[in-house]
Amino acid sequence: MAKDIDTRLAAAIEARRDELISLTQDLIRIPTLNPPGRNYREICDYLDGRFSEQGFQVELVRAEGALADSDRYPRWNIVARREGRISGETVHFNSHHDVVEVGNGWSFDPFGAELHEGRIYGRGACDMKGGLATSIIAAEAFIHACPDFAGAVEISATADEESGGFGGVAYLAQEGWFDPSRVQHVIIPEPLNKDRICLGHRGVWWAEIETKGRIAHGSMPFLGDCAVRHMGAVLAEMEETLFPLLASKRTEMPVVPEGAKQSTLNINAIHGGEPVQDADYTGLPAPCVPDRCRITIDRRFLIEEEISEVKAEVSAMLEKVKSARPSFEYEIRDLFEVQPTMTPEGAPVVRSVANAIEKVLSRQPDYVVSPGTYDQKHIDRIGRLKNCIAYGPGILDLAHQPDEWVGVQDMVDSAKVMALTLAELLLPDQQG
């Protein structure tokens, strides 16, 4: 019986190959750029039409009052649900519909969604409209082939993952959409490769460090106190002590790539002195000693580290600089923090996806952890739903790159994995 279902589902996915391609292309051609958050309602309306035709109950949810939500750029999300014939658990596929800026260096139209040699090119093809389309086709094929399933299948397309997810999954989690009493299994089709199961991600702390100085005329810098020089001392101390310290920390998490198995810190931005003038300003800057300098840091930390320890290391470094520079003053401002998360390999959704990968690809999956965060953080920390993973088609290294693409065969294979996962979790005679 199980093999018969597996065969039927594989055939149902193969029969929808062209439909999978066209759906992916349609999604890519809607330029949901974030920032600022363009065309969010357009893509939700497009999906609403498709879901409604397939018999899903559909709700459009605006994240009113969430970070970045405005009347000009409202943060729209869509959640579609298809109930089975008997009660049971709910499997939820969550994809973000926003994409990052295009950037330079493209050989293909970023929103042309051109199919070339088995690949669909475009911004968001890999990250993650290919995954969204794959989950939709997988769900539709499963429902058609196995109409007597138990429980429910849910699919969501959510806003703002690329900028923290606060207008998307975080908002839905706060509103109870991911409460474990209504959703039991979540799969996020991020592009981690079709033979990998992503169990979670490292933690992140963003902060702004500002050094203080005293303004004076640039011809008499001795009458002032240069905040940029103070920041130079901070950067030198980072190189001397902080970066080597972080490089010495290693994790047991299966983080990919290899370099992300240690703690890392990136300096995202630096600015000192007077504000940057408008682009049409053609004059010279004023001759002043800068009385302020700021850097933004992006600290990625491991499940073995405590956030208090992470922050204390930076504070200790700054205090060391202060002890050597009598006029040194600084301020640290927290911007954003997320705890690491990792679902156990023995969790139900992990086991079911692993079984499906073995059937479709004839190999055991690799278990990985993402170097950066994604919306699992909100499902875990706000929704309190631990049975959540990322699994989807696409190559992570292509995300945010020019000529981003997703492979058609990878999507087909991943759709088969998703459909078989639904069968194991929602067909009573497959459970056990």
Side-chain angles (χ1 to χ4, degrees):
M1 180 68 170
K3 280 194 175 291
D4 178 57
I5 291 172
D6 294 351
T7 301
R8 279 193 290 147
L9 287 173
I13 297 296
E14 288 289 351
R16 289 166 170 79
R17 177 184 290 260
D18 289 345
E19 192 176 355
L20 176 55
I21 292 170
S22 62
L23 175 56
T24 303
Q25 290 175 314
D26 285 350
L27 295 172
I28 293 168
R29 288 167 181 155
I30 303 173
T32 47
L33 286 162
N34 177 30
R38 300 185 190 279
N39 302 306
Y40 284 5
R41 182 58 188 253
E42 181 180 347
I43 199 168
C44 288
D45 285 343
Y46 172 88
L47 290 168
D48 185 6
R50 183 183 184 93
F51 288 137
S52 297
E53 287 179 0
Q54 295 291 326
F56 284 78
Q57 296 173 310
V58 181
E59 290 195 52
L60 271 66
V61 182
R62 178 179 169 182
E64 292 193 61
L67 185 69
D69 178 69
S70 68
D71 289 339
R72 184 177 182 186
Y73 297 113
R75 268 38 200 175
W76 283 104
N77 306 274
I78 186 169
V79 183
R81 183 178 178 93
R82 180 72 181 264
E83 298 282 353
R85 293 189 179 175
I86 59 175
S87 62
E89 297 186 329
T90 296
V91 179
H92 184 115
F93 292 96
N94 165 252
S95 298
H96 64 86
H97 58 57
D98 61 314
V99 302
V100 297
E101 65 175 305
V102 171
N104 298 316
W106 285 77
S107 305
F108 295 85
D109 178 351
F111 298 108
E114 181 177 339
L115 176 63
H116 180 70
E117 296 183 349
R119 299 173 176 179
I120 303 173
Y121 287 83
R123 177 54 82 223
C126 166
D127 185 15
M128 59 180 298
K129 289 179 176 177
L132 171 57
T134 298
S135 67
I136 293 170
I137 293 297
E140 292 174 353
F142 168 75
I143 291 166
H144 177 79
C146 307
D148 295 326
F149 70 94
V153 178
E154 277 192 348
I155 305 172
S156 61
T158 51
D160 285 5
E161 188 275 343
E162 298 292 4
S163 55
F166 297 100
V169 169
Y171 183 86
L172 293 180
Q174 290 164 359
E175 296 296 309
W177 289 88
F178 292 100
D179 191 293
S181 65
R182 69 173 303 278
V183 175
Q184 286 72 49
H185 312 272
V186 177
I187 298 172
I188 303 175
E190 290 277 7
L192 273 300
N193 295 9
K194 64 184 179 183
D195 57 354
R196 287 174 167 178
I197 297 174
C198 184
L199 303 174
H201 52 71
R202 294 191 299 174
V204 57
W205 174 49
W206 282 7
E208 186 177 78
I209 299 172
E210 181 173 350
T211 52
K212 314 282 188 174
R214 187 173 66 254
I215 195 168
H217 198 288
S219 68
M220 296 175 287
F222 44 84
L223 299 179
D225 189 16
C226 182
V228 172
R229 289 183 62 184
H230 286 315
M231 187 62 75
V234 172
L235 298 177
E237 188 62 33
M238 280 186 174
E239 296 290 346
E240 182 70 23
T241 62
L242 186 57
F243 283 114
L245 172 64
L246 301 188
S248 71
K249 299 187 178 202
R250 304 289 295 179
T251 183
E252 294 299 316
M253 303 171 82
V255 187
V256 290
E258 182 67 26
K261 286 183 176 171
Q262 67 177 49
S263 296
T264 59
L265 185 146
N266 182 57
I267 300 170
N268 287 14
I270 183 168
H271 179 74
E274 64 184 80
V276 176
Q277 300 299 325
D278 293 339
D280 58 355
Y281 176 73
T282 59
L284 294 171
C288 293
V289 174
D291 60 358
R292 61 198 177 279
C293 186
R294 294 184 301 276
I295 61 171
T296 303
I297 60 170
D298 177 352
R299 171 73 160 87
R300 304 294 168 135
F301 62 100
L302 314 173
I303 206 164
E304 294 87 352
E305 297 179 274
E306 296 291 337
I307 185 65
S308 57
E309 170 193 348
V310 168
K311 294 180 179 182
E313 289 167 350
V314 173
S315 295
M317 176 204 66
L318 291 167
E319 285 297 312
K320 184 178 179 182
V321 175
K322 184 174 182 177
S323 68
R325 299 177 73 87
S327 63
F328 182 82
E329 293 184 29
Y330 69 90
E331 182 178 351
I332 304 177
R333 289 184 286 273
D334 288 343
L335 300 178
F336 176 58
E337 64 184 64
V338 172
Q339 294 288 339
T341 184
M342 189 167 73
T343 301
E345 289 185 21
V349 73
V350 179
R351 294 199 308 268
S352 295
V353 174
N355 292 338
I357 288 174
E358 187 172 4
K359 289 178 180 179
V360 173
L361 302 177
S362 301
R363 58 155 297 175
Q364 293 287 331
D366 292 328
Y367 297 98
V368 301
V369 166
S370 173
T373 68
Y374 54 93
D375 278 333
Q376 184 171 340
K377 59 183 177 282
H378 300 311
I379 293 168
D380 178 3
R381 302 298 176 179
I382 302 174
R384 304 298 176 190
L385 177 58
K386 304 294 184 182
N387 192 38
C388 175
I389 59 166
Y391 170 77
I395 300 170
L396 183 61
D397 292 355
L398 298 174
H400 302 194
Q401 293 284 340
D403 288 345
E404 178 184 348
W405 58 268
V406 65
V408 173
Q409 188 59 48
D410 288 347
M411 290 195 295
V412 170
D413 289 341
S414 289
K416 292 176 182 177
V417 170
M418 293 175 186
L420 290 177
T421 299
L422 288 170
E424 181 165 322
L425 293 172
L426 300 183
L427 295 181
D429 58 355
Q430 299 294 299
Q431 299 169 359

